[in-house]
Amino acid sequence: MTTLIINIKELLQIRESSILKVSGAEMAILPTIKNAFLLIKNDLIADFGSMDNLPKVEADKTIDASGKIVLPSWCDSHTHIVYAGNREQEFVDRINGMTYEEIANRGGGILNSAKKLNETSEEEIYNQSKVRLEEVMRLGTGAVEIKSGYGLTVEGELKMLRVIQQLSKNYPITIKATFLGAHAFPTLFKENRKGYIDCIIHEMLPEIAENKLADFIDVFCETGYFSVEETEQIMKAGIRLGLKPKIHVNQFNSIGGIQAGVKYNALSVDHLEIMKPEDIEALKNSNTIPVALPSCSYFLSIPYTPARDIIAAGLPLALATDYNPGSTPSGNMNFVVATACIKMKMTPEEAINAATINGAYAMGISKTHGSITLGKKANLIITKEIPSYYQLPYAFGSNLIDTVILDGETYNSK
């Protein structure tokens, strides 16, 4: 199957195959071609360039993108979209003055989601989760990382990871799976932290590794959740079984989690709403990418990740949704990009880089995703007719996507 897109107003994110992420001042540069074409063969980018140099091609399908922008699909490197039910009541409780921590302390939050998940059948969790996955695909996401972490029991965590695996088999979107058994301490182990960590290391992890159910291991390293020492213990156990770390850090407090992530070569450190100078310093000269989750800050009314400080330090930055039932019940990467510009003062170029090539890096797939590069996956967004790509974050409440292409197949955005 050959698809030719012609008369593209502007083709964004043109990269050489050697570029896997962009950092610091480079994030402000977004290479583009105006009045462009792009050729797809099967599910890969086969050719692109100026319309002036359009070769003779016998395409099975031709798309006229006059007045439209084409860019790589969003790469959302941090989500929790496999869950059961919702936490609408907690949303209202926060409006009425309760904090996230207060809700968690009374058995709400993650423990609330864990109770619902363990009471729900695997088939029903799959059916609820696929609706959310289909929605984010229509919104332009072409690669997504999905975490477990609402089971907090051996069977609950395995059930979640099997659902993620099934979604990956059944949908054209690229999915990476992360084991997040260390999301919170379940009620049963409230007074026996060591017992739950032993359960993660000696019961959950061997089963997950044997059945190849996860790519990454994650820990919620935060006051009231997992300490730095506990985080390191869990990361080391995952590494021994071939899982690369990605960790939740600095959402509410800076306690040394970033330094632990760098020490164990974590692929990413995510959240980062509270950053001290030494946290930024620790990330320099590492392979660990910082990931900001601005729609979480928006929903919880907590500080935003200090993007300008991170970029000024010469570091890369990725953007992701944190799609989950408690703190970010949205997988809309378009809103994430807009919020990063509006609230974190990122330029449109920086935000698009953070949501494409750097998002791909943060889930270990930037050799195949995240840019317009020969041989990469043909996962693309075709916008509606818009004046420029600045319109994407500017018109933050509008759906400006006309067509999504995943693995070379076209889907109309509805």
Side-chain angles (χ1 to χ4, degrees), residues 346-364:
M346 293 179 73
T347 66
E349 292 83 0
E350 289 170 337
I352 291 169
N353 275 323
T356 54
I357 188 74
N358 284 4
Y361 181 89
M363 50 202 295

Side-chain angles (χ1 to χ4, degrees), residues 68-86:
K68 301 174 181 180
I69 309 286
V70 174
L71 66 154
S73 59
W74 307 124
C75 295
D76 187 355
S77 67
H78 185 128
T79 83
H80 306 252
I81 66 176
V82 169
Y83 59 85
N86 62 65

Side-chain angles (χ1 to χ4, degrees), residues 289-321:
I289 189 168
V291 178
L293 311 171
S295 49
C296 176
S297 297
Y298 173 86
F299 193 74
L300 292 182
S301 298
I302 61 176
Y304 288 85
T305 303
R308 292 267 48 98
D309 294 342
I310 290 169
I311 294 169
L315 295 171
L317 183 64
L319 292 170
T321 63

Side-chain angles (χ1 to χ4, degrees), residues 46-64:
D47 197 8
F48 59 85
S50 167
M51 283 296 291
D52 295 337
N53 301 318
L54 177 65
K56 288 186 177 180
V57 178
E58 291 294 327
D60 299 300
K61 181 178 183 180
T62 300
I63 299 172
D64 188 341

Side-chain angles (χ1 to χ4, degrees), residues 79-83 128-129 132-133 136 144 146-147 323-324:
T79 83
H80 306 252
I81 66 176
V82 169
Y83 59 85
Q128 290 183 26
S129 301
R132 295 186 279 268
L133 186 67
V136 302
V144 64
I146 307 176
K147 303 177 190 294
Y323 192 175
N324 75 79

Side-chain angles (χ1 to χ4, degrees), residues 153-361:
T153 61
V154 176
E155 183 47 42
E157 290 296 306
L158 292 172
K159 182 162 66 171
M160 289 188 75
L161 290 166
R162 286 194 299 265
V163 168
I164 296 168
Q165 188 179 67
Q166 201 59 38
L167 291 169
S168 184
K169 287 178 181 175
N170 292 347
Y171 286 90
I173 186 171
T174 299
I175 296 176
K176 288 290 188 175
T178 297
F179 168 54
L180 179 58
H183 202 187
F185 285 92
T187 306
L188 185 65
F189 289 93
K190 194 172 183 184
E191 306 303 323
N192 182 14
R193 294 167 73 99
K194 182 181 181 301
Y196 184 58
I197 291 170
D198 286 345
C199 177
I200 290 171
I201 292 172
H202 301 298
E203 295 183 56
M204 295 182 188
L205 268 171
E207 190 92 22
I208 289 161
E210 184 181 342
N211 292 289
K212 296 183 170 56
L213 288 173
D215 304 289
F216 305 112
I217 186 163
D218 198 344
V219 183
F220 189 11
C221 182
E222 180 57 74
T223 303
Y225 293 87
F226 290 82
S227 70
V228 172
E229 185 181 355
E230 290 165 340
T231 298
E232 291 194 2
Q233 188 182 354
I234 294 163
M235 279 195 292
K236 283 191 284 188
I239 291 166
R240 282 195 297 268
L241 291 171
L243 302 181
K244 193 162 181 65
K246 287 165 66 72
I247 56 174
H248 287 60
V249 286
N250 292 51
Q251 182 173 5
F252 303 110
N253 301 278
S254 172
I255 62 171
I258 287 175
Q259 289 79 354
V262 170
K263 179 180 175 182
Y264 289 96
N265 199 29
L267 180 58
S268 69
V269 286
D270 302 31
H271 272 293
L272 316 181
E273 289 88 345
I274 305 299
M275 291 288 277
K276 295 178 179 176
E278 56 264 35
D279 296 324
I280 292 175
E281 196 65 31
L283 287 163
K284 291 181 179 178
N285 303 312
S286 77
N287 294 317
T288 302
I289 189 168
V291 178
L293 311 171
S295 49
C296 176
S297 297
Y298 173 86
F299 193 74
L300 292 182
S301 298
I302 61 176
Y304 288 85
T305 303
R308 292 267 48 98
D309 294 342
I310 290 169
I311 294 169
L315 295 171
L317 183 64
L319 292 170
T321 63
D322 194 21
Y323 192 175
N324 75 79
S327 62
T328 323
S330 168
N332 190 339
M333 281 292 286
N334 308 284
F335 179 74
V336 166
V337 167
T339 306
C341 294
I342 296 163
K343 294 295 187 180
M344 292 161 58
K345 302 303 179 193
M346 293 179 73
T347 66
E349 292 83 0
E350 289 170 337
I352 291 169
N353 275 323
T356 54
I357 188 74
N358 284 4
Y361 181 89

